[in-house]
Amino acid sequence: MSDEYEHRLMSVAMEEAIKAKNRNEVPVGAVIVNSKTGEIVAKNGNRTIQLNDPSAHAEILVIREACDKVGAQRIPEFDLYVTLEPCTMCAGAISFARIRRIIFAAFDEKGGAVVNGVRFFEQKTCHHKPEVNYSVKGEEAGKLLKDFFKEKRKK
Amino acid sequence: MSDEYEHRLMSVAMEEAIKAKNRNEVPVGAVIVNSKTGEIVAKNGNRTIQLNDPSAHAEILVIREACDKVGAQRIPEFDLYVTLEPCTMCAGAISFARIRRIIFAAFDEKGGAVVNGVRFFEQKTCHHKPEVNYSVKGEEAGKLLKDFFKEKRKK
């Protein structure tokens, strides 16, 4: 898989993160891609406020949509691109969905669960570990989040 | 809070677990209660197969329903009763929802994340720790699960 391909897909996730910001949601976006065909099957951003749903992180929303489209609770041919390191909840859902590969942009020291925090995919209670790549457009995604929370604190 | 009160609510969660089993889903049930009024605001069992949704664990379903009813993504006055120790995904959702107290029945050594596994509520990346109680009707809930998987293996 070329760097250019991953950057292109992360740009789509970034667009979703910006849309989330414009809804006043934490600016995180995600995309799910069929690894065989390259087709984007779902893209979305955080909607926890809009939906009154603490589980409505970008990752959960695209996993639910992709699974619904495929008609299965496991989608092992699919890859997930997300602009922020997944949290504990989302890492669990990624594992249950049997996602083939995850690619994330910015690190999340405070709430991440892949290379930070509980490092869920390394644990015995994790029964499917996806391939992991990171730092694709990390600076851009990180800046979007940083600026968002800076603005919030001003208000 | 009396033992009898907790047993009564766990019995409602057990009924949901049995209904899940009858749908051929992993038999786990959950109930969310308003801690001020005692009112049950949501009850459900696993529906990951039925809904083609790996996130459709009993806990997530009742949290989503309760939050939708309350009209908020955080429900700090609510208590969650569940027949099995929550997994990593559900522990994350419980924390995000700011659930006041969780009470679970059976332990889950293979996939639990409260007293087993990542023990999420003890971690720095967990930003809300609910009160925790367990073993309420633990034997009964554990037997239901054990028998379910025993039957599965026979087929």
Side-chain angles (χ1 to χ4, degrees), chain A:
Chain A
M1 206 157 307
S2 75
D3 281 2
E4 196 191 319
Y5 178 81
E6 291 197 339
H7 267 77
R8 193 158 50 78
L9 286 164
M10 194 61 84
S11 294
V12 180
M14 274 299 296
E15 284 167 19
E16 294 301 318
I18 291 163
K19 283 189 213 164
K21 184 193 147 206
N22 294 339
R23 293 190 300 268
N24 208 27
E25 303 268 0
V26 174
V28 177
V31 167
I32 285 199
V33 184
N34 183 323
S35 68
K36 299 262 165 93
T37 64
E39 187 202 355
I40 291 176
V41 290
K43 55 181 183 173
N44 215 333
N46 277 0
R47 292 184 189 270
T48 65
I49 299 167
Q50 181 198 342
L51 301 177
N52 289 323
D53 178 358
S55 78
H57 282 192
E59 300 94 312
I60 301 271
L61 293 177
V62 294
I63 287 172
R64 295 180 67 207
E65 187 179 339
C67 286
D68 186 52
K69 282 184 179 166
V70 171
Q73 59 164 318
R74 291 174 183 173
I75 49 173
E77 290 178 4
F78 289 75
D79 296 346
L80 174 73
Y81 291 74
V82 56
T83 60
L84 183 67
E85 179 182 352
C87 73
T88 306
M89 174 180 75
C90 292
I94 286 164
S95 184
F96 285 131
R98 305 288 190 267
I99 296 286
R100 190 188 77 120
R101 191 160 192 266
I102 67 160
I103 301 93
F104 68 82
F107 293 99
D108 185 1
E109 278 180 33
K110 284 186 188 165
V114 179
V115 298
N116 286 290
V118 303
R119 301 168 63 99
F120 180 56
F121 301 135
E122 311 298 331
Q123 306 304 323
K124 272 189 196 162
T125 47
C126 173
H127 307 299
H128 165 77
K129 180 187 174 166
E131 291 174 41
V132 176
N133 191 19
Y134 44 80
S135 290
V136 178
K137 292 177 95 64
E139 210 167 316
E140 187 181 336
K143 189 178 181 314
L144 183 70
L145 281 153
K146 214 170 158 182
D147 291 349
F148 176 80
F149 286 113
K150 208 165 155 185
E151 272 305 309
K152 280 265 170 203
R153 279 191 299 268
K154 271 191 205 162
K155 282 171 190 168

Side-chain angles (χ1 to χ4, degrees), chain B:
Chain B
M1 208 158 304
S2 74
D3 281 4
E4 196 191 319
Y5 179 81
E6 291 198 338
H7 267 77
R8 194 159 49 79
L9 287 164
M10 194 61 86
S11 294
V12 180
M14 274 298 295
E15 283 167 19
E16 295 301 318
I18 291 162
K19 284 189 215 164
K21 184 193 147 207
N22 294 338
R23 293 190 300 267
N24 208 27
E25 303 268 1
V26 174
V28 177
V31 168
I32 285 198
V33 185
N34 183 322
S35 69
K36 300 262 166 95
T37 65
E39 186 202 358
I40 292 177
V41 290
K43 55 182 183 171
N44 214 332
N46 278 359
R47 293 184 188 271
T48 65
I49 300 167
Q50 181 198 341
L51 301 177
N52 289 322
D53 179 357
S55 77
H57 283 192
E59 299 96 310
I60 302 270
L61 293 176
V62 294
I63 287 172
R64 294 179 67 207
E65 187 179 339
C67 287
D68 185 51
K69 282 183 179 167
V70 170
Q73 60 165 319
R74 291 175 182 172
I75 49 173
E77 289 177 6
F78 289 75
D79 296 345
L80 174 72
Y81 290 74
V82 56
T83 60
L84 183 67
E85 180 182 351
C87 72
T88 304
M89 174 179 76
C90 292
I94 286 164
S95 185
F96 285 131
R98 305 287 191 269
I99 296 285
R100 190 188 76 120
R101 191 160 191 266
I102 68 161
I103 300 93
F104 69 82
F107 293 100
D108 184 2
E109 278 179 33
K110 283 185 188 166
V114 180
V115 297
N116 287 290
V118 302
R119 301 168 64 101
F120 180 57
F121 302 135
E122 311 298 330
Q123 307 303 324
K124 272 189 197 165
T125 48
C126 173
H127 307 299
H128 166 76
K129 180 187 174 167
E131 290 174 42
V132 176
N133 191 18
Y134 43 79
S135 290
V136 178
K137 293 179 94 64
E139 209 167 315
E140 188 181 336
K143 189 178 181 316
L144 183 70
L145 281 152
K146 214 169 158 182
D147 290 350
F148 176 80
F149 287 113
K150 208 165 157 186
E151 273 305 308
K152 280 265 172 204
R153 280 192 298 270
K154 271 191 205 162
K155 282 172 191 168

